[in-house]
Amino acid sequence: MFRRVSLEALMKWIFLLLALSMVVLMLGARLHQSYSDKLVSAGRSAERLKRLMKDYDLSYSPEVMAQELGPYWRGTSAGEVPSLTIDSGGKEYGFVSNTQRIYVDMVEEERYLILVGMLGLIIAVELAVFLSYMLTRPLRRLTWMCREVAGGVSVRIPQTLFSPYEFHELVESFNNMSSQLERWREVQRQVSRMDRLAALGEMISGLSHEIRNPLASMRIQTDLLRDEIDRLAAGGEGQQDAEEAREQITVLGSEMDRLNNIVMQLLSFVRPRLTVITPVKLDDLLPWSGAMLGSQAQKYNVRLVLQSAAQDVAVMADSELLRQLVMNLALNAMQSMSPLNEEREMVLTVAIGYAPAPRGGEKMGMIMVSDTGPGISPDIKHRIFDPFFTTKKEGTGLGLSIVQRIVEGLGGELSLESSPNGTTFKIYLKLQHGGRDDEHLDS
């Protein structure tokens, strides 16, 4: 098995070897030239001495000849083969090149060049590290992006200033691919959701019909039984037993009403009523919210805040559906804050105003319902709009599903922001033509 080597390490080694090769070649060429020059100089000194001794028939001692030859020659030692032989006084003396002295002089003369070469090598190493990092960093980011996209996470990589043009094109292409994949996943989720809703609709419609008929009969029989008990009690027979029977019948009636409300909620989900789109003033929602939610807010010990960031906010919607939408979101918010008790102040805010569309484009009317509850866990955030999904002990799990269906039916958009400090739902609706759009609702 081959060991995997990163592209960055490979490029560092390549740049390092190139830099080292250039420095070694330049220094080697210069040092070789210097060495050759010194050998030539030593050869000329030897020729000059030999010619001088021959022309004038001179005889020198070995020490004098070594001095005349210069520092690059030395006398031979025992066993050495002389490269230069000089006849003086009928006796031959051998000499060899003093390579050690040549090297010492060569290094001394070229010390600045060697120093510059070493500094150049260090700079080249730093440049190799920098260039390899700059060239491989976009690739590492793209690798990370591919892993995230493969894991189902939509990501975008910002462009870097010093990356080559080809990397810019590659990053842009990957960002476009990620956006296309996210849109495709959203379409797949919508198709899957519609298929599930269609199957649920058929099942719930049949079950609701089968449940409502017996419930109606039970309700009629309960009312008749209550009337009979009242008649007997009026005749003076079993007053105490009659009172207990009334309490039990009342409990039975309330439970049947609760079951009937659940059935009605199921039916409203699978068979929503016809939407009537008319100009609606969002300003009217605030006094209605105060009247309808005030008692519930007192029950849950929640402070209700109503805000209006603009006047005469007219949108195209169905007023009854808007009220149902606000009621569902507000009740969910109050129920989510109820476990907090005295940990923090529980505040429910209902606000209206103008805001830009979440995906850009024209301004829209906006309804905001926010709370100071514990927020929605990221693990379940993607499921809260699924039918029958709930984290509460009681409830059908249809409240937010109905809200989403209402917003889609009105041609609006729904956004969710959640943190440990609270949750905010924003509903964006199309404005009536000619509506004011100069005031914005700050979130």
Side-chain angles (χ1 to χ4, degrees), residues 199-250:
L200 284 173
E202 295 180 4
M203 180 185 69
I204 291 173
S205 181
L207 286 176
S208 300
H209 178 74
E210 295 298 327
I211 293 174
R212 289 190 71 190
N213 288 340
L215 275 178
S217 299
M218 291 167 64
R219 186 66 187 177
I220 292 172
Q221 295 301 321
T222 303
D223 292 339
L224 292 175
L225 183 58
R226 181 185 291 110
D227 292 341
E228 183 64 19
I229 291 174
D230 292 341
R231 186 182 64 79
L232 294 175
E237 301 178 4
Q239 289 287 345
Q240 185 175 359
D241 293 338
E243 187 64 28
E244 293 178 357
R246 286 195 193 95
E247 293 179 1
Q248 294 173 356
I249 291 175
T250 300

Coordinates of all heavy atoms in Angstrom, one line a residue, residues 199-250:
A199 N -51.6 11.1 1.5 CA -52.0 9.8 2.1 C -52.6 10.0 3.5 O -53.7 9.4 3.8 CB -50.7 8.9 2.3
L200 N -52.1 11.0 4.2 CA -52.7 11.3 5.5 C -54.1 11.9 5.4 O -55.0 11.6 6.1 CB -51.8 12.3 6.3 CG -50.6 11.8 6.9 CD1 -49.7 12.9 7.5 CD2 -50.9 10.8 8.1
G201 N -54.2 12.7 4.3 CA -55.5 13.3 4.1 C -56.6 12.3 3.9 O -57.7 12.4 4.4
E202 N -56.3 11.3 3.0 CA -57.3 10.3 2.7 C -57.6 9.5 4.0 O -58.8 9.2 4.3 CB -56.8 9.4 1.7 CG -56.6 10.0 0.3 CD -56.1 9.1 -0.7 OE1 -55.9 7.9 -0.4 OE2 -55.8 9.5 -1.9
M203 N -56.6 9.2 4.8 CA -56.9 8.4 6.0 C -57.6 9.2 7.0 O -58.6 8.7 7.6 CB -55.5 7.9 6.6 CG -55.7 7.1 7.8 SD -54.1 6.7 8.6 CE -53.6 8.3 9.1
I204 N -57.2 10.5 7.2 CA -57.9 11.3 8.3 C -59.3 11.6 7.9 O -60.2 11.6 8.8 CB -57.0 12.6 8.5 CG1 -55.7 12.2 9.1 CG2 -57.8 13.6 9.4 CD1 -54.8 13.4 9.3
S205 N -59.5 11.9 6.6 CA -60.9 12.2 6.2 C -61.8 11.0 6.5 O -62.9 11.2 7.0 CB -60.9 12.5 4.7 OG -62.2 12.8 4.2
G206 N -61.4 9.8 6.2 CA -62.2 8.6 6.5 C -62.4 8.4 8.0 O -63.5 8.2 8.5
L207 N -61.3 8.5 8.8 CA -61.4 8.4 10.2 C -62.3 9.4 10.9 O -63.1 9.1 11.8 CB -60.0 8.4 10.8 CG -59.1 7.1 10.6 CD1 -57.7 7.4 11.2 CD2 -59.8 5.9 11.2
S208 N -62.1 10.7 10.4 CA -62.9 11.7 11.0 C -64.4 11.5 10.8 O -65.2 11.8 11.7 CB -62.5 13.1 10.4 OG -61.1 13.3 10.7
H209 N -64.8 11.1 9.6 CA -66.2 10.8 9.4 C -66.7 9.7 10.3 O -67.8 9.8 10.9 CB -66.3 10.4 7.9 CG -67.8 10.1 7.6 ND1 -68.7 11.0 7.4 CD2 -68.4 8.9 7.3 CE1 -69.9 10.4 7.1 NE2 -69.7 9.1 7.0
E210 N -65.9 8.7 10.5 CA -66.3 7.5 11.3 C -66.4 7.9 12.8 O -67.2 7.4 13.5 CB -65.4 6.4 11.1 CG -65.4 5.8 9.7 CD -66.7 5.2 9.3 OE1 -67.4 4.7 10.2 OE2 -67.1 5.3 8.2
I211 N -65.5 8.9 13.2 CA -65.5 9.3 14.6 C -66.6 10.3 14.9 O -67.3 10.3 16.0 CB -64.1 9.8 15.0 CG1 -63.1 8.7 14.9 CG2 -64.1 10.5 16.4 CD1 -61.7 9.2 15.1
R212 N -66.9 11.2 14.0 CA -67.8 12.3 14.3 C -69.2 11.8 14.4 O -70.0 12.3 15.2 CB -67.8 13.4 13.2 CG -66.5 14.2 13.2 CD -66.6 15.3 12.2 NE -67.5 16.4 12.7 CZ -67.9 17.4 12.0 NH1 -67.5 17.5 10.7 NH2 -68.7 18.3 12.5
N213 N -69.6 10.8 13.6 CA -71.0 10.3 13.7 C -71.2 9.7 15.1 O -72.3 10.1 15.7 CB -71.2 9.3 12.6 CG -71.3 9.9 11.3 OD1 -71.6 11.1 11.1 ND2 -71.1 9.1 10.2
P214 N -70.4 8.8 15.6 CA -70.7 8.3 17.0 C -70.6 9.4 18.0 O -71.3 9.4 19.0 CB -69.6 7.3 17.2 CG -69.1 6.8 15.9 CD -69.3 8.0 15.0
L215 N -69.7 10.4 17.8 CA -69.6 11.5 18.8 C -70.9 12.3 18.8 O -71.4 12.7 19.9 CB -68.4 12.4 18.4 CG -67.0 12.1 18.9 CD1 -66.0 13.1 18.4 CD2 -67.0 12.0 20.4
A216 N -71.5 12.5 17.7 CA -72.8 13.3 17.6 C -73.9 12.5 18.4 O -74.6 13.1 19.2 CB -73.2 13.5 16.2
S217 N -73.9 11.2 18.2 CA -74.9 10.4 18.9 C -74.6 10.4 20.4 O -75.6 10.5 21.2 CB -74.9 8.9 18.4 OG -75.2 8.9 17.0
M218 N -73.4 10.3 20.8 CA -73.0 10.3 22.2 C -73.4 11.7 22.8 O -73.9 11.7 24.0 CB -71.6 10.0 22.4 CG -71.2 8.6 22.0 SD -69.4 8.4 21.9 CE -68.9 8.7 23.6
R219 N -73.2 12.7 22.1 CA -73.5 14.0 22.6 C -75.0 14.2 22.8 O -75.5 14.7 23.8 CB -73.0 15.1 21.6 CG -73.2 16.5 22.2 CD -72.3 16.7 23.4 NE -72.5 18.0 24.0 CZ -71.9 18.5 25.1 NH1 -71.0 17.7 25.7 NH2 -72.2 19.6 25.6
I220 N -75.8 13.7 21.8 CA -77.3 13.8 21.9 C -77.7 13.0 23.1 O -78.6 13.4 24.0 CB -77.9 13.3 20.6 CG1 -77.6 14.3 19.5 CG2 -79.4 13.1 20.8 CD1 -78.0 13.8 18.1
Q221 N -77.2 11.8 23.3 CA -77.6 10.9 24.4 C -77.2 11.5 25.7 O -77.9 11.4 26.7 CB -77.0 9.5 24.3 CG -77.5 8.7 23.0 CD -79.0 8.6 23.1 OE1 -79.6 8.3 24.1 NE2 -79.7 8.7 21.9
T222 N -76.0 12.2 25.8 CA -75.6 12.8 27.0 C -76.5 14.0 27.4 O -76.9 14.2 28.6 CB -74.2 13.4 26.9 OG1 -73.3 12.3 26.5 CG2 -73.7 14.0 28.1
D223 N -76.9 14.8 26.4 CA -77.9 15.9 26.7 C -79.2 15.3 27.2 O -79.8 15.9 28.1 CB -78.1 16.7 25.4 CG -76.8 17.5 25.1 OD1 -75.9 17.7 25.9 OD2 -76.6 17.9 23.9
L224 N -79.7 14.2 26.5 CA -81.0 13.7 27.0 C -80.9 13.1 28.4 O -81.8 13.3 29.2 CB -81.4 12.5 26.0 CG -81.8 13.0 24.6 CD1 -82.0 11.7 23.7 CD2 -83.0 13.9 24.6
L225 N -79.7 12.5 28.7 CA -79.5 12.0 30.1 C -79.5 13.1 31.1 O -80.1 13.0 32.2 CB -78.2 11.2 30.1 CG -77.9 10.5 31.4 CD1 -79.0 9.5 31.8 CD2 -76.6 9.7 31.3
R226 N -78.9 14.3 30.7 CA -78.8 15.4 31.6 C -80.2 15.9 31.9 O -80.6 16.3 33.0 CB -77.9 16.5 31.1 CG -77.8 17.7 32.0 CD -77.0 18.8 31.4 NE -75.6 18.5 31.3 CZ -75.0 18.3 30.2 NH1 -75.7 18.3 29.1 NH2 -73.7 18.0 30.2
D227 N -81.0 16.0 30.8 CA -82.4 16.5 30.9 C -83.2 15.6 31.8 O -84.0 16.0 32.7 CB -83.1 16.6 29.6 CG -82.4 17.7 28.7 OD1 -81.8 18.6 29.3 OD2 -82.6 17.7 27.5
E228 N -83.0 14.2 31.7 CA -83.7 13.3 32.5 C -83.3 13.4 34.0 O -84.2 13.3 34.9 CB -83.5 11.9 32.0 CG -84.2 10.8 32.7 CD -85.7 10.9 32.5 OE1 -86.2 11.5 31.6 OE2 -86.5 10.3 33.4
I229 N -82.1 13.6 34.2 CA -81.6 13.8 35.6 C -82.2 15.1 36.2 O -82.6 15.1 37.4 CB -80.1 13.8 35.7 CG1 -79.5 12.4 35.3 CG2 -79.6 14.2 37.0 CD1 -78.0 12.3 35.2
D230 N -82.2 16.1 35.4 CA -82.8 17.4 35.9 C -84.3 17.2 36.2 O -84.8 17.7 37.2 CB -82.6 18.5 34.9 CG -81.2 18.9 34.7 OD1 -80.4 18.6 35.6 OD2 -80.8 19.5 33.7
R231 N -85.0 16.4 35.4 CA -86.4 16.2 35.6 C -86.7 15.4 36.9 O -87.5 15.7 37.7 CB -87.0 15.4 34.5 CG -88.6 15.3 34.5 CD -89.1 14.5 33.4 NE -88.6 13.1 33.4 CZ -89.1 12.1 34.2 NH1 -90.1 12.4 35.0 NH2 -88.5 10.9 34.1
L232 N -85.8 14.3 37.1 CA -86.0 13.5 38.3 C -85.6 14.4 39.6 O -86.2 14.2 40.6 CB -85.1 12.3 38.3 CG -85.5 11.3 37.2 CD1 -84.5 10.1 37.1 CD2 -86.9 10.7 37.5
A233 N -84.6 15.2 39.5 CA -84.1 16.0 40.6 C -85.2 17.0 41.0 O -85.4 17.3 42.1 CB -82.8 16.7 40.3
A234 N -85.9 17.5 39.9 CA -87.0 18.5 40.2 C -88.1 17.9 40.9 O -88.9 18.5 41.7 CB -87.5 19.1 38.9
G235 N -88.3 16.6 40.8 CA -89.4 15.9 41.5 C -89.0 15.5 42.9 O -89.7 14.8 43.6
G236 N -87.8 15.9 43.4 CA -87.3 15.6 44.8 C -86.7 14.3 45.0 O -86.6 13.9 46.1
E237 N -86.4 13.6 43.9 CA -85.8 12.2 44.1 C -84.3 12.2 43.9 O -83.8 12.6 42.9 CB -86.4 11.3 43.0 CG -88.0 11.2 43.1 CD -88.5 10.3 42.0 OE1 -87.7 9.7 41.3 OE2 -89.7 10.2 41.9
G238 N -83.6 11.9 44.9 CA -82.1 11.7 44.9 C -81.4 13.0 44.5 O -80.7 13.0 43.5
Q239 N -81.5 14.0 45.3 CA -80.8 15.3 45.0 C -79.3 15.1 45.0 O -78.6 15.6 44.1 CB -81.2 16.3 46.0 CG -82.6 16.8 45.9 CD -82.8 17.7 44.7 OE1 -81.9 18.2 44.1 NE2 -84.1 17.9 44.4
Q240 N -78.7 14.4 46.0 CA -77.3 14.2 46.0 C -76.8 13.4 44.9 O -75.8 13.7 44.3 CB -76.9 13.6 47.4 CG -75.4 13.5 47.6 CD -75.0 13.0 49.0 OE1 -75.9 12.7 49.8 NE2 -73.7 12.8 49.2
D241 N -77.5 12.3 44.6 CA -77.1 11.4 43.5 C -77.2 12.2 42.1 O -76.3 12.0 41.2 CB -77.9 10.2 43.4 CG -77.7 9.3 44.6 OD1 -76.6 9.4 45.2 OD2 -78.5 8.5 44.9
A242 N -78.2 13.0 42.0 CA -78.4 13.8 40.8 C -77.2 14.8 40.6 O -76.7 15.0 39.5 CB -79.7 14.5 40.8
E243 N -76.7 15.4 41.7 CA -75.6 16.4 41.6 C -74.4 15.7 41.2 O -73.6 16.2 40.3 CB -75.4 17.0 42.9 CG -74.4 18.2 42.9 CD -74.9 19.3 42.0 OE1 -76.1 19.5 41.9 OE2 -74.0 20.0 41.5
E244 N -74.1 14.5 41.7 CA -72.9 13.7 41.3 C -73.0 13.3 39.8 O -72.0 13.3 39.1 CB -72.7 12.5 42.2 CG -72.4 12.9 43.6 CD -72.3 11.6 44.5 OE1 -72.5 10.5 44.0 OE2 -72.0 11.7 45.7
A245 N -74.2 12.9 39.4 CA -74.4 12.5 38.0 C -74.2 13.7 37.1 O -73.6 13.5 36.0 CB -75.8 11.9 37.8
R246 N -74.6 14.9 37.5 CA -74.4 16.1 36.7 C -72.9 16.3 36.5 O -72.5 16.7 35.4 CB -75.1 17.3 37.3 CG -76.6 17.3 37.2 CD -77.1 18.7 37.5 NE -78.5 18.7 37.7 CZ -79.1 18.6 38.9 NH1 -78.4 18.5 40.0 NH2 -80.4 18.7 39.0
E247 N -72.1 16.2 37.5 CA -70.7 16.5 37.4 C -70.0 15.5 36.5 O -69.2 15.8 35.7 CB -70.1 16.4 38.8 CG -70.5 17.5 39.8 CD -69.8 17.4 41.1 OE1 -69.1 16.4 41.3 OE2 -70.1 18.2 42.0
Q248 N -70.4 14.2 36.6 CA -69.9 13.2 35.7 C -70.3 13.4 34.3 O -69.4 13.3 33.3 CB -70.3 11.8 36.2 CG -69.7 11.4 37.6 CD -70.3 10.1 38.1 OE1 -71.2 9.5 37.5 NE2 -69.8 9.7 39.3
I249 N -71.5 13.8 34.1 CA -72.0 14.1 32.7 C -71.3 15.3 32.1 O -70.9 15.4 30.9 CB -73.5 14.3 32.7 CG1 -74.2 12.9 32.9 CG2 -73.9 14.8 31.3 CD1 -75.7 13.0 33.1
T250 N -71.0 16.3 33.0 CA -70.3 17.5 32.5 C -68.9 17.2 32.1 O -68.4 17.6 31.0 CB -70.2 18.6 33.6 OG1 -71.5 18.9 34.0 CG2 -69.5 19.8 33.2

